[in-house]
Amino acid sequence: MGPKAASGFYLGRKPAALLALLLAALLLALAVLGALYGRCLQEVEELRAAAAPASPTAGPEEEGAGCCPPTSSPRPSPGSTRPPGVWDNPRLPRALLPLHYELRLWPRVSPGQPGPFVFSGQVNITVRCAHDTATVLLHSSELELWGAAVRGPLLEGPGGGGGGSSIEVAELWLEERQEYAVLGLRRSLRAGGLYMLQLSFRGPLSEDLDGLFLTRYTDQGQSSMLIASQLEPTYARTVYPCFDEPAMKATFNIIIVHHPSYVALSNMPAIDTSEMKDENGSLWTVTTFNTTLKMSTYLTAFVVCDFDYITRTERGNEIRIWGRKEAIENGHADYALNITGPLFSFLEDLFNISYPLSKTDLVALPDFAANAMENWGLMTFQESALMYIPRDQFGSKKAMICLIVSHEIGHQWFGNLVTMNWWNDLWLNEGFASYFEYIGASYIEPRLPLVSTKTEYNTFPLQPTLFFLTERLFIKALSSYLKAFSFSSVNQDDLWTHIQMVVDAQNEVQLPASVKKIMDSWTCQNGFPVLTLNLSTGIISQEQFYNKRTENNTTYNNTWIVPISWIRNGSAQPFVWLDKSSKMFPEMQITDSEHDWILLNVNMAGYYRVNYDPLHLKRLAKLLEKDPKAIPVVNRLHLIDDAFTLAQAGYIEIESAFELTKYLAKEDEMFVWYSVLSNLIPDNLENILNNYELYPFLKKYLLKRMLPIYHYYASIIRQNVDALADDYFDQIHLEKIINTACWLGLQDCLNLSSELYTKWMENPDNEIPFTIKRTICCYGVAMGSDKEWDFAWKMYNHHNSTGIDKDIMLFAMSCTRESWLLYRYLQYSLNNSLLSSDNISIVISNVAATEIGQRIAWEFVTENWLLLNERYGKQPNYVIHLYFCSCFSDSLLYLKFEL
């Protein structure tokens, strides 16, 4: 517990922050993807199915469920010569419902083999016919199909699946706009019958990091290749023909044919391996996996690799962490193995629902665009998101891994066991997983207050529920929801029903409306509210937050049912509801005394902005100058963040926002400073450098207030950086302070960068703390000469450098202030033996983002245009984005080169 104010209401930094997280995210940070609902209303034809007549088997996806109204009639594809039909709908008809897949995949890859690469396979899909149809639709994209056959009706019951006659396929064609394979049959399939669809297929095995892809990496000094998959949201159809919608769940028997030097992994344990020869007599291994549980196509997963693993068993669940052999050998997978089992057990006990699989693989991929994916039984991760280097003395990397692993394990219940009907309810997956990532990680690492309030506030659009539910009732409702819909699919109304059941069964919580009505006000309309408080009348009004500077003529009529927590003079006040556009609260009228003040949205528990009048903001500013601790730490952050956001959007004057920052020399909380700097300093610092009026003002204003907190942390970095090892807030926000101080030209900061970089050059064991490494390396190179640059180049090429290390050094080398070094760096990017072709856009963009590099990068691109176009012009997705400051105007010239 933190210290208490005289009034009895105060939370210290860490308890307050953790409470802010629990309040802010409980009920899954409701509507983490609330914007999808706006798109649902605006582009409803792309979100709901109207392909087939309504049938009793349609289940929970009847038109109008959740927030989405019924769709209009289908439209034919542009330029189509075929008459309109079910193939013109963006959603599959419900004429056929998949029950089971027999899937065989054969990636034709051998070690050292040159490209291009392909894969082939066969799929047999057992379906139930819901109503008579002579047209079969299933998804297929970028696949060559042949051998289409349909058989049935099949025998029912145990040992069934046999029998049935062949049904002739009159034609097989592709509807490319909707990514359908269409089978026209000579006779109709009959309602109630079982049928089997059979197709052979072949597709390209690209290096695009989605679908089934190939990626290259280095392990123990040797070049290697692996094959992996990323099928969310709609890439399963690029790997095998399927009913690629989340609600169309089925079981899978999977077989992978692969080179004998590789191991194959899939969702379930391998139950058999055998050998076969291809048409050339080459030997291949055939790995057969056990039957999966009923699941969505986007969760099927495949990995073929030459990795090692470490393992342990937790409550019958065999957990294996796979990675590059040198990473496993050096103990980089140990931390992930140590936390995975306990996280599973924790969530099993919390929900009172056992994890239903007997094995779980977590695979660290050297190159993976999705960062992490929750595939049932075969979770995949970007290597840096799973592997922890034991020598890293800072806990921020460990905390990040713990959060990511906890998030993906949360998906095993929310997303895998219970899945959203359609992607407009994706928040039912992601919102829950995002909430439980913090609950689980806090259980594993109780010393780390695993929450960044600024991040949570921007990430989770809606969190009203805990205002009317205790955590015990909330978990009870979730457990009921999970049990009721296991191995099934849901929309948000199913969740509201189970929360309502819990509310109805108790007497302590009284709501102004039903759970559905309250929550629909948040999830079924765009945006979020800004509350304006008139402290002389006590009237609170609400309107949709928007940018008044750019949307002057915009009118919104949205109204939310808003739960409001508030404090007066530091003391907690009774909770109130705003359930209309404006409402009077007499208890919120204040006196003229400067000691009488009010704050709404205690600990940022609600997802709304608060607009106070300028006089009250001045009163709060004076309070902060007199005693910053009088306002809880999370609300200091919230107050400043709201003020700058409202000023930028035209609600208040910028002077009012700056009033709240005058006290900052007394502010010693890192994450408050992070919010301040995030609002004042843009990501592209060069934009301000080129504004010769703004930069000097910011430099003078900020340095005067930053010096106390900067010197405090600079002293720790110089004397005993390990003192920060367990302070998660300080670790993740420290770089913002150091980077801003160096950018503002503080000489001590520049000296600090040179000191740490020089020590690293003298002895590679004197590693720069990871959390500030990017800034220190940048300014270490900037303050040095070619010696410092050459060391950065050496460390980029070091065999122990991870992907993140390489990214840092690629950035640092662009920080040099020597023009000739930038020219040389750009020339290096043209040499594939020095830099991978994948990095050329990174190098050019990094150089172009610096003040002296803008013209250099421009000249390099124009001088080498023909070479760049010849080398990369045939790669359809190869795009270089460059940003140059125009020398002839005050505007920023954006140049996009599609090579």
Side-chain angles (χ1 to χ4, degrees):
M1 296 293 292
K4 294 183 179 181
S7 63
F9 181 87
Y10 184 76
L11 289 178
R13 176 181 63 151
K14 296 181 180 180
L18 187 56
L19 178 59
L21 164 75
L22 296 175
L23 294 171
L26 201 49
L27 197 57
L28 340 169
L30 272 171
V32 67
L33 297 173
L36 286 173
Y37 288 87
R39 196 175 82 182
C40 168
L41 297 173
Q42 298 168 14
E43 303 177 18
V44 68
E45 286 187 11
E46 299 182 8
L47 295 176
R48 301 299 296 176
S55 73
T57 60
E61 288 195 82
E62 294 96 351
E63 292 180 347
C67 297
C68 297
T71 62
S72 58
S73 301
R75 296 174 298 169
S77 301
S80 174
T81 60
R82 297 182 180 272
V86 292
W87 45 79
D88 294 311
N89 280 285
R91 295 289 302 276
L92 285 169
R94 291 313 189 251
L96 300 177
L97 303 176
L99 301 179
H100 181 71
Y101 291 76
E102 296 281 345
L103 175 62
R104 181 184 180 97
L105 280 179
W106 186 355
R108 307 294 182 105
V109 176
S110 301
Q113 171 190 346
F117 303 97
V118 299
F119 65 91
S120 61
Q122 301 83 40
V123 65
N124 297 340
I125 311 175
T126 302
V127 299
R128 172 78 66 187
C129 184
H131 57 81
D132 293 1
T133 181
T135 303
V136 174
L137 262 68
L138 66 165
H139 286 109
S140 179
S141 176
E142 302 177 20
L143 294 175
E144 177 187 351
L145 306 179
W146 72 94
V150 178
R151 185 166 56 87
L154 308 178
L155 298 177
E156 301 271 1
S165 59
S166 176
I167 300 171
E168 184 179 353
V169 178
E171 63 174 341
L172 166 63
W173 57 279
L174 300 178
E175 166 46 56
E176 294 185 357
R177 179 171 179 250
Q178 307 297 351
E179 299 183 334
Y180 289 147
V182 184
L183 284 68
L185 308 181
R186 293 293 185 192
R187 60 185 174 91
S188 293
L189 309 182
R190 298 303 181 188
L194 283 180
Y195 295 87
M196 180 175 288
L197 315 179
Q198 299 175 314
L199 283 164
S200 296
F201 56 91
R202 178 166 49 238
L205 191 59
S206 71
E207 299 183 41
D208 289 342
L209 305 182
D210 52 46
L212 190 67
F213 62 87
L214 180 142
T215 184
R216 305 171 192 273
Y217 65 98
T218 301
D219 191 9
Q220 298 177 328
Q222 301 295 317
S223 296
S224 301
M225 298 184 295
L226 67 80
I227 299 157
S229 63
Q230 170 57 30
L231 305 189
E232 187 183 24
T234 58
Y235 293 110
R237 65 192 67 176
T238 70
V239 181
Y240 59 98
C242 57
F243 294 83
D244 197 14
E245 294 188 3
M248 303 190 81
K249 293 187 172 185
T251 56
F252 294 78
N253 281 348
I254 295 172
I255 294 174
I256 299 179
V257 181
H258 55 95
H259 191 272
S261 64
Y262 293 139
V263 62
L265 305 174
S266 190
N267 303 84
M268 300 299 288
I271 57 174
D272 183 63
T273 58
S274 59
E275 294 181 345
M276 60 166 276
K277 290 185 179 180
D278 62 17
E279 60 275 10
N280 299 317
S282 298
L283 194 65
W284 296 83
T285 297
V286 180
T287 300
T288 302
F289 299 91
N290 208 347
T291 305
T292 71
L293 301 173
K294 189 179 179 183
M295 66 184 199
S296 305
T297 50
Y298 79 88
L299 292 171
T300 54
F302 324 99
V303 172
V304 178
C305 63
D306 182 23
F307 277 179
D308 277 349
Y309 69 91
I310 55 176
T311 184
R312 72 174 47 169
T313 299
E314 179 98 1
R315 295 185 179 178
N317 177 15
E318 182 187 10
I319 297 166
R320 300 183 295 186
I321 314 293
W322 296 79
R324 293 180 301 117
K325 294 177 179 178
E326 63 185 15
I328 298 296
E329 181 181 348
N330 291 328
H332 296 179
D334 293 356
Y335 178 69
L337 184 64
N338 290 338
I339 66 174
T340 299
L343 280 169
F344 269 109
S345 297
F346 171 73
L347 291 181
E348 282 184 327
D349 294 340
L350 187 65
F351 304 135
N352 193 27
I353 299 174
S354 297
Y355 178 64
L357 301 185
S358 62
K359 76 91 181 172
T360 304
D361 291 317
L362 289 76
V363 183
L365 302 174
D367 199 4
F368 189 46
N371 196 44
M373 180 62 200
E374 67 267 19
N375 313 301
W376 224 352
L378 180 55
M379 291 182 271
T380 46
F381 298 80
Q382 164 67 33
E383 185 177 271
S384 61
L386 189 64
M387 296 299 191
Y388 175 71
I389 301 174
R391 68 176 182 272
D392 186 353
Q393 72 270 41
F394 269 49
S396 57
K397 180 66 181 299
K398 181 185 290 187
M400 180 197 75
I401 292 171
C402 190
L403 286 166
I404 293 172
V405 172
S406 184
H407 181 100
E408 303 310 321
I409 292 176
H411 271 308
Q412 307 307 299
W413 284 266
F414 298 99
N416 297 8
L417 184 66
V418 177
T419 312
M420 72 277 159
N421 276 333
W422 186 239
W423 298 105
N424 62 314
D425 274 328
L426 179 60
W427 72 268
L428 290 171
N429 288 15
E430 295 300 334
F432 279 109
S434 296
Y435 170 62
F436 284 106
E437 79 179 56
Y438 285 93
I439 300 300
S442 296
Y443 166 76
I444 294 295
E445 297 286 355
R447 292 188 305 166
L448 300 177
L450 293 172
V451 53
S452 168
T453 309
K454 178 74 165 71
T455 300
E456 293 314 303
Y457 190 78
N458 288 337
T459 302
F460 301 134
L462 308 168
Q463 320 94 327
T465 307
L466 184 64
F467 288 113
F468 57 86
L469 278 186
T470 65
E471 185 173 357
R472 180 185 63 82
L473 293 176
F474 176 68
I475 296 299
K476 183 178 180 180
L478 292 187
S479 179
S480 171
Y481 161 84
L482 289 171
K483 290 175 181 177
F485 297 105
S486 292
F487 307 105
S488 186
S489 57
V490 295
N491 60 46
Q492 64 171 4
D493 286 353
D494 297 315
L495 175 62
W496 308 150
T497 297
H498 282 264
I499 295 178
Q500 188 70 57
M501 289 164 54
V502 169
V503 171
D504 292 344
Q506 52 81 54
N507 297 317
E508 61 181 296
V509 174
Q510 300 297 321
L511 304 181
S514 69
V515 172
K516 174 176 170 56
K517 186 174 181 180
I518 294 171
M519 300 315 304
D520 281 356
S521 78
W522 292 92
T523 61
C524 290
Q525 57 187 357
N526 287 325
F528 59 90
V530 54
L531 306 190
T532 298
L533 172 59
N534 185 322
L535 290 158
S536 61
T537 63
I539 293 176
I540 300 179
S541 60
Q542 61 167 295
E543 63 176 312
Q544 180 167 331
F545 176 83
Y546 68 98
N547 192 326
K548 295 188 174 184
R549 299 186 188 277
T550 59
E551 304 176 59
N552 289 330
N553 298 320
T554 303
T555 301
Y556 296 103
N557 296 314
N558 294 345
T559 300
W560 291 260
I561 302 178
V562 186
I564 302 175
S565 57
W566 62 294
I567 58 176
R568 184 168 190 162
N569 307 330
S571 298
Q573 302 297 312
F575 176 82
V576 297
W577 288 90
L578 178 64
D579 54 2
K580 55 184 71 174
S581 59
S582 66
K583 189 173 183 179
M584 178 181 286
F585 299 93
E587 64 270 32
M588 292 191 187
Q589 299 174 8
I590 64 172
T591 67
D592 293 334
S593 170
E594 65 177 19
H595 302 294
D596 195 10
W597 53 273
I598 282 177
L599 279 175
L600 305 188
N601 201 7
V602 179
N603 290 319
M604 293 175 62
Y607 191 75
Y608 53 88
R609 299 285 184 185
V610 181
N611 181 19
Y612 302 99
D613 63 70
L615 290 178
H616 194 63
L617 285 178
K618 282 189 176 182
R619 185 175 295 185
L620 294 173
K622 290 180 180 179
L623 176 64
L624 287 171
E625 289 185 73
K626 182 179 180 181
D627 179 15
K629 306 295 184 182
I631 295 178
V633 57
V634 178
N635 277 91
R636 298 203 299 273
L637 181 155
H638 184 211
L639 188 62
I640 293 172
D641 188 66
D642 271 3
F644 277 101
T645 301
L646 292 170
Q648 292 163 9
Y651 286 82
I652 64 174
E653 297 301 322
I654 190 67
E655 290 80 5
S656 294
F658 269 101
E659 283 283 338
L660 294 171
T661 67
K662 289 182 177 179
Y663 86 99
L664 283 173
K666 297 180 179 179
E667 181 58 74
D668 58 4
E669 299 292 357
M670 180 70 84
F671 76 150
V672 176
W673 265 105
Y674 183 86
S675 178
V676 171
L677 297 179
S678 296
N679 277 289
L680 291 179
I681 309 296
D683 291 333
N684 187 353
L685 301 180
E686 299 302 324
N687 285 344
I688 290 185
L689 277 177
N690 288 298
N691 187 323
Y692 298 108
E693 294 181 357
L694 180 58
Y695 179 76
F697 166 76
L698 275 179
K699 180 175 182 177
K700 181 179 180 180
Y701 187 85
L702 279 178
L703 281 183
K704 178 181 178 181
R705 290 160 176 81
M706 279 184 63
L707 285 178
I709 195 166
Y710 164 77
H711 283 303
Y712 174 77
Y713 284 101
S715 176
I716 292 176
I717 291 171
R718 283 187 169 105
Q719 297 176 16
N720 181 24
V721 72
D722 291 345
L724 301 177
D726 290 334
D727 198 318
Y728 180 68
F729 278 123
D730 289 352
Q731 291 174 43
I732 63 174
H733 295 147
L734 179 60
E735 185 157 37
K736 189 72 173 179
I737 291 282
I738 302 301
N739 188 47
T740 302
C742 285
W743 173 71
L744 291 172
L746 183 62
Q747 191 60 49
D748 187 75
C749 184
L750 299 174
N751 293 342
L752 175 65
S753 299
S754 295
E755 291 169 19
L756 296 180
Y757 194 82
T758 299
K759 288 181 179 179
W760 190 33
M761 290 175 60
E762 293 172 349
N763 183 356
D765 289 337
N766 294 328
E767 289 197 48
I768 299 169
F770 174 79
T771 191
I772 57 173
K773 189 173 184 179
R774 182 180 173 91
T775 291
I776 297 300
C777 288
C778 176
Y779 285 98
V781 169
M783 299 301 293
S785 62
D786 57 330
K787 180 182 178 182
E788 283 72 19
W789 195 97
D790 289 341
F791 178 76
W793 176 253
K794 174 184 175 183
M795 299 313 294
Y796 170 80
N797 290 289
H798 197 279
H799 69 278
N800 279 339
S801 291
T802 66
I804 291 181
D805 291 332
K806 289 182 180 294
D807 289 342
I808 289 173
M809 303 321 295
L810 280 175
F811 170 73
M813 288 184 284
S814 70
C815 296
T816 180
R817 296 173 182 175
E818 299 282 351
S819 298
W820 70 274
L821 286 173
L822 291 178
Y823 277 112
R824 187 178 74 176
Y825 188 28
L826 290 168
Q827 290 299 322
Y828 280 6
S829 71
L830 295 176
N831 189 334
N832 287 343
S833 65
L834 296 176
L835 280 171
S836 166
S837 61
D838 295 338
N839 289 323
I840 187 169
S841 62
I842 298 173
V843 172
I844 297 174
S845 297
N846 284 344
V847 172
T850 67
E851 186 175 18
I852 69 169
Q854 293 167 356
R855 184 172 294 278
I856 293 171
W858 169 257
E859 292 174 354
F860 170 79
V861 171
T862 55
E863 291 171 2
N864 294 279
W865 178 256
L866 293 178
L867 175 61
L868 292 170
N869 189 53
E870 177 185 357
R871 185 174 294 180
Y872 305 110
K874 295 181 181 179
Q875 298 183 17
N877 294 323
Y878 194 93
V879 178
I880 294 180
H881 296 270
L882 295 178
Y883 298 83
F884 295 104
C885 183
S886 171
C887 299
F888 307 104
S889 71
D890 293 330
S891 63
L892 195 66
L893 178 63
Y894 169 73
L895 299 175
K896 177 177 178 181
F897 295 96
E898 296 193 17
L899 304 182

